[in-house]
Amino acid sequence: MKYLDEYRDPELAAGLIQRIKSLSRKPVRLMEICGTHTVAIFRHGIRSVLPENLVLVSGPGCPVCVTAQVDIDRSIKLARIPDVIVTTFGDLVRVPGSGSSLAREKAEGADVRTVYSTFDALSVARNHPDRKVVFLGIGFETTAPTIAAAIMTAHREGLRNFSVLSMHKLLPPAMEALLSGGESRIDGFICPGHVSVIIGTSAYEAVVRQHGTPCVVVGFEPTDILEGLYRLIRLLEKNEAGVEIQYKRAVTPEGNIKAMHLLHTVFEPAQAAWRGLGVIPESGLKIRDSFSIHDAAQSFDVEVPAPVDPKGCACSEVIRGLKTPLDCPFFASKCTPEEPVGPCMVSTEGTCAAYYKYRV
């Protein structure tokens, strides 16, 4: 199969593994930021073929996992309003809030609907003009442009009953927060292919300059990841900091200019609360005043008490790369995909779910 098999070539993979082992001398900790990378690394058994001095840790790349508890609680409050229909992507429904979840609220009668795109949520709004339809906007720069397009469509059509609760996150500020925090020893980043298609590699240059931490944007097939690791190790062994693109078939330095224009037309940077990382300046996306009629944060006066994080759950430390799921006392006992305690076990991109699925 062209454009797939060539990235799974066993001989090419073996050669890359050998080059990594030959080159890698320093003990290094590399963070894969993207949850899809985490899953791909497990699926292809990549950790097991790396030299012992090379450690991979997972980071804050799962959109459901980094959604703050207060935002989960706010979403649940919105679902309790009688004339509101809450629409969302599937994983968020199962994330436990401080005292409930969207799934539980749905079981108790709230109108919570899972959709596959923001435009499905727009259809719900068109079909129910007498109801208020709220879409829960989560995710990184990858999803924000499509949600911006949906808001612009709603604005153009005069769909005043459609709004978005924006809980979007921007990745480079989170990388900056991780490095500035000083808790997590990170020698290099395996940067996400999906986000980088939109923002380009120039978005990482400020972080690299400030902290001297190299980044390589990597694809999702096994030889992509191995080549990305080789490039990172090569930079580290030469004591060089830079941004490289392994995923050249999809990513450019400037990114997708049209998508970024769409994003900035509707959203502006704002501080955002992250699970595990706290409040980070300019790390979220607020809907601009010109589209405020579609901003659920302004349309609904919802007060949320101080959130209660699940006691004993290690998701916050897992997101920062300070712990692995195996360090959590609940992993695979009290916390399973069927009965998750924390969000990292809910999402298919969550680190705990990956550890559980591949029985690490």
Side-chain angles (χ1 to χ4, degrees), residues 11 23 38 85 90 123 167 173 227 237 264-265 322:
E11 289 188 17
L23 184 64
T38 298
I85 301 173
S123 296
M167 299 176 278
E227 184 187 343
E237 291 291 340
H264 288 303
T265 298
L322 301 178

Short mmCIF file of all heavy atoms in Angstrom, two decimals, residues 11 23 38 85 90 123 167 173 227 237 264-265 322:
data_model
loop_
_atom_site.label_atom_id
_atom_site.label_comp_id
_atom_site.label_asym_id
_atom_site.label_seq_id
_atom_site.Cartn_x
_atom_site.Cartn_y
_atom_site.Cartn_z
N GLU A 11 12.99 -3.43 7.48
CA GLU A 11 14.43 -3.23 7.29
C GLU A 11 14.82 -1.78 7.59
O GLU A 11 15.84 -1.51 8.23
CB GLU A 11 14.84 -3.60 5.86
CG GLU A 11 14.79 -5.09 5.59
CD GLU A 11 15.38 -5.42 4.23
OE1 GLU A 11 16.10 -4.57 3.67
OE2 GLU A 11 15.11 -6.53 3.74
N LEU A 23 24.41 5.99 18.11
CA LEU A 23 24.62 7.41 18.35
C LEU A 23 24.36 7.82 19.80
O LEU A 23 25.01 8.73 20.33
CB LEU A 23 23.70 8.22 17.43
CG LEU A 23 23.82 9.73 17.46
CD1 LEU A 23 25.21 10.15 16.96
CD2 LEU A 23 22.73 10.38 16.60
N THR A 38 1.76 8.82 21.68
CA THR A 38 1.85 7.89 22.81
C THR A 38 1.29 6.53 22.41
O THR A 38 1.91 5.48 22.64
CB THR A 38 1.06 8.45 24.01
OG1 THR A 38 1.64 9.69 24.42
CG2 THR A 38 1.08 7.47 25.19
N ILE A 85 -29.39 22.09 24.99
CA ILE A 85 -28.87 20.82 24.46
C ILE A 85 -27.34 20.96 24.43
O ILE A 85 -26.81 21.87 23.79
CB ILE A 85 -29.38 20.55 23.03
CG1 ILE A 85 -30.90 20.48 22.99
CG2 ILE A 85 -28.76 19.26 22.49
CD1 ILE A 85 -31.47 20.39 21.57
N GLY A 90 -17.25 12.51 21.90
CA GLY A 90 -17.61 11.40 22.78
C GLY A 90 -16.85 11.27 24.07
O GLY A 90 -17.43 11.06 25.14
N SER A 123 -26.32 21.49 12.91
CA SER A 123 -27.57 20.87 12.43
C SER A 123 -28.57 20.72 13.57
O SER A 123 -29.78 20.92 13.37
CB SER A 123 -27.27 19.49 11.81
OG SER A 123 -26.46 19.63 10.67
N MET A 167 -12.98 25.82 25.34
CA MET A 167 -11.99 25.31 26.31
C MET A 167 -10.71 24.91 25.55
O MET A 167 -9.96 24.06 26.00
CB MET A 167 -12.57 24.11 27.05
CG MET A 167 -13.82 24.45 27.86
SD MET A 167 -14.59 23.02 28.64
CE MET A 167 -15.54 22.35 27.27
N PRO A 173 2.54 27.43 24.52
CA PRO A 173 2.59 27.94 25.90
C PRO A 173 2.67 26.83 26.96
O PRO A 173 3.28 27.04 28.02
CB PRO A 173 1.28 28.73 26.04
CG PRO A 173 0.93 29.12 24.64
CD PRO A 173 1.36 27.96 23.81
N GLU A 227 12.77 7.75 13.16
CA GLU A 227 13.60 8.78 12.54
C GLU A 227 13.58 10.06 13.38
O GLU A 227 14.60 10.74 13.53
CB GLU A 227 13.15 9.08 11.12
CG GLU A 227 14.07 10.08 10.42
CD GLU A 227 13.55 10.53 9.07
OE1 GLU A 227 12.66 9.87 8.51
OE2 GLU A 227 14.02 11.58 8.58
N GLU A 237 23.23 15.03 21.10
CA GLU A 237 24.63 14.60 21.18
C GLU A 237 25.59 15.67 20.69
O GLU A 237 26.74 15.74 21.11
CB GLU A 237 24.83 13.31 20.37
CG GLU A 237 24.15 12.09 20.96
CD GLU A 237 24.80 11.62 22.27
OE1 GLU A 237 25.97 11.97 22.53
OE2 GLU A 237 24.11 10.92 23.05
N HIS A 264 -7.83 32.91 13.96
CA HIS A 264 -7.65 34.24 14.57
C HIS A 264 -8.79 35.19 14.25
O HIS A 264 -8.96 36.20 14.94
CB HIS A 264 -6.31 34.83 14.11
CG HIS A 264 -5.12 34.16 14.72
ND1 HIS A 264 -4.93 34.07 16.09
CD2 HIS A 264 -4.08 33.51 14.16
CE1 HIS A 264 -3.81 33.41 16.33
NE2 HIS A 264 -3.28 33.05 15.19
N THR A 265 -9.57 34.90 13.22
CA THR A 265 -10.75 35.72 12.93
C THR A 265 -11.79 35.57 14.04
O THR A 265 -12.45 36.54 14.43
CB THR A 265 -11.37 35.32 11.58
OG1 THR A 265 -10.41 35.55 10.54
CG2 THR A 265 -12.63 36.12 11.28
N LEU A 322 5.77 13.66 35.33
CA LEU A 322 6.43 13.40 36.60
C LEU A 322 6.21 11.97 37.08
O LEU A 322 6.99 11.44 37.87
CB LEU A 322 5.90 14.37 37.68
CG LEU A 322 6.10 15.86 37.40
CD1 LEU A 322 5.50 16.70 38.51
CD2 LEU A 322 7.58 16.17 37.24
#
